[in-house]
């Protein structure tokens, strides 16, 4: 947790004291149709890979009820976004420091009430989240299982939507259903696919090609394949050890896959689907998505 002195150091180190324009933060929502396909593990380890490649990353655990990121890194739950909204603590009070210098925010039950916030609460939330602008390059949102209205809001408001699926037929059909819903609300959505738990590169390619084809044919959307992650017993082992697999088993097949995905993501000249990025536009989209 941050004290006042830390906050001041932060302000100096991020140039918040002067009036230089702050670079935009890229907001990525990690989502899936079917639950349990590996979103939280992907979000955390992908964040670590981006960090090791020089990016500054904040992970927002938007999984209401289950503090996944806390558990995956073996920390006890701290303050959440609910504390920020309801008790007016600052963003620096709820921002937790994780391994390798990543930061994370626990969503907590506050996210559930996102739709019923009063205007002054929304204003406060926007102001506080905007502090992250210039502090980080990426805000990676790990969305929870199941498509609640709140989750859909996060997904539709993000600059990039990463859809995770596995080679199981149910995960593929659920991914298709999710993409269909996203495209219905935003035909220009920028969606990237990650096939998790593949047993071979050929299997990963086959699943991705299939989804790219059907979504193109029936939904007229150009899905981008980010890549695949190998099914690897080290993932489950690391989960039990409460250390991210990317750190605990850096030479494992899963970690190497994550490295490749992060490199590909950084190399891709990915367009931004809203024409504008950054926290304020993200939040403004969040508050408008369901009004029209
Ligand atoms: N690449 C992988 N190889 C092997 N096992 C994996 C892999 N990815 C995920 N798993 C297994 O799947 C479990 C669920 O992963 P995770 O919690 O990341 O899924 P999730 O999509 O976030 O779930 P939820 O929908 O409940 O939030 C992990 O605990 C791990 O055992
Ligand atoms: Mg999860």
């Amino acid at each position: 947790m941050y004290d006042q002195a830390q906050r001041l150091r932060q302000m100096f180190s991020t140039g918040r004291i002067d009036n230089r324009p702050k670079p935009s933060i890229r907001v990525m929502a990690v989502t899936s149709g079917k639950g349990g396909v590996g979103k939280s593990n992907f979000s955390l380890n992908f964040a670590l890979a981006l960090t090791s490649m020089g990016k500054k990353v904040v992970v927002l655990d938007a999984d209401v009820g289950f503090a996944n990121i806390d558990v995956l890194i073996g920390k006890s739950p701290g303050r959440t976004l609910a504390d920020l909204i309801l008790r007016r603590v600052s963003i620096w009070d709820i921002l937790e420091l994780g391994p390798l210098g990543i930061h994370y925010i626990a969503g907590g039950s506050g996210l559930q009430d996102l739709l019923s916030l009063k205007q002054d609460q929304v204003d406060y939330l926007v102001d506080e989240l905007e502090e992250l602008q210039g502090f980080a390059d990426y805000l990676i949102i790990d969305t929870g299982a199941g498509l609640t209205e709140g989750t859909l809001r996060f997904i539709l408001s993000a600059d990039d939507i990463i859809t995770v699926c596995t080679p199981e037929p149910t995960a593929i059909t659920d991914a298709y259903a999710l993409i269909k819903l996203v495209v219905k609300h935003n035909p220009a959505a920028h969606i990237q696919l990650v096939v998790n738990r593949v047993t071979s590169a050929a299997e990963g390619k086959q699943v991705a090609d299939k989804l790219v084809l059907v979504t193109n044919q029936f939904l007229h959307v150009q899905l981008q394949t980010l890549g695949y992650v190998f099914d690897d017993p080290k993932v489950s082992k690391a989960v039990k050890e409460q250390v991210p697999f990317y750190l605990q088993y850096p030479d494992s097949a899963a970690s190497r896959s994550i490295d490749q995905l992060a490199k590909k993501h950084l190399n891709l000249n990915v367009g931004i689907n809203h024409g504008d990025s950054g926290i304020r536009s993200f939040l403004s989209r969040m508050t408008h998505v369901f009004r029209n």
Side-chain angles (χ1 to χ4, degrees):
M1 233 155 269
Y2 280 70
D3 60 19
Q4 198 65 23
Q6 263 174 312
R7 184 175 182 176
L8 282 170
R9 276 196 296 277
Q10 207 116 53
M11 288 166 85
F12 280 108
S13 69
T14 56
R16 275 191 43 75
I17 279 297
D18 67 33
N19 288 325
R20 281 178 296 181
K22 293 166 233 157
S24 279
I25 192 169
R26 184 86 168 242
V27 182
M28 282 181 151
V30 177
T31 180
S32 71
K34 192 176 183 289
V37 294
K39 290 179 297 297
S40 299
N41 272 281
F42 171 80
S43 302
L44 175 62
N45 291 281
F46 187 67
L48 290 166
L50 288 175
T51 304
S52 75
M53 292 168 196
K55 298 292 174 191
K56 197 134 179 35
V57 188
V58 175
V59 180
L60 171 59
D61 186 349
D63 197 345
V64 179
F66 303 95
N68 278 305
I69 302 296
D70 281 347
V71 177
L72 289 177
I73 60 179
K75 293 229 178 169
S76 50
R79 289 203 255 184
T80 70
L81 209 56
D83 293 302
L84 183 141
I85 295 164
L86 303 173
R87 303 203 294 116
R88 298 259 161 162
V89 300
S90 89
I91 188 80
W92 308 113
D93 291 326
I94 63 166
L95 196 64
E96 301 274 357
L97 183 61
L100 224 62
I102 67 160
H103 285 80
Y104 66 97
I105 300 170
S109 56
L111 291 178
Q112 233 155 8
D113 305 324
L114 212 57
L115 298 173
S116 53
L117 294 183
K118 295 190 196 84
Q119 190 55 48
D120 65 316
Q121 290 177 314
V122 173
D123 291 345
Y124 184 71
L125 176 66
V126 170
D127 284 348
E128 287 300 306
L129 280 178
E130 213 183 15
E131 298 266 320
L132 293 178
Q133 196 88 329
F135 173 76
D137 303 304
Y138 285 94
L139 176 65
I140 297 182
I141 305 175
D142 174 22
T143 69
L147 258 190
T148 61
E149 204 168 297
T151 306
L152 193 56
R153 253 183 196 231
F154 274 120
I155 297 170
L156 290 168
S157 311
D159 298 311
D160 298 306
I161 300 163
I162 296 192
T163 300
V164 181
C165 79
T166 69
E168 287 182 1
T170 43
I172 299 172
T173 50
D174 288 1
Y176 178 84
L178 172 88
I179 294 163
K180 188 176 175 183
L181 190 66
V182 168
V183 171
K184 187 178 142 209
H185 285 86
N186 178 13
H190 186 257
I191 308 171
Q192 293 177 295
L193 183 68
V194 171
V195 187
N196 190 23
R197 309 197 67 165
V198 303
T199 48
S200 67
E203 185 182 43
K205 184 168 172 356
Q206 195 192 2
V207 172
D209 287 353
K210 197 180 192 173
L211 262 169
V212 168
L213 188 75
V214 292
T215 49
N216 193 351
Q217 201 167 351
F218 300 110
L219 308 176
H220 313 293
V221 67
Q222 193 53 56
L223 202 63
Q224 199 163 35
T225 305
L226 194 56
Y228 52 83
V229 180
F230 275 103
D231 187 65
D232 187 340
K234 289 286 195 296
V235 175
S236 169
K237 207 162 179 288
V239 170
K240 286 179 197 144
E241 288 157 355
Q242 292 191 278
V243 182
F245 66 79
Y246 188 78
L247 300 179
Q248 188 83 326
Y249 303 107
D251 294 326
S252 64
S255 295
R256 286 203 301 271
S257 313
I258 291 283
D259 251 335
Q260 280 183 0
L261 293 191
K263 278 189 197 127
K264 181 159 181 198
H265 172 80
L266 293 177
N267 287 335
L268 277 175
N269 187 17
V270 278
I272 289 178
N273 53 329
H274 303 280
D276 195 10
S277 69
I279 287 285
R280 190 163 281 276
S281 32
F282 165 71
L283 291 159
S284 134
R285 289 193 293 266
M286 287 251 309
T287 43
H288 285 96
V289 156
F290 281 82
R291 281 195 200 133
N292 47 41

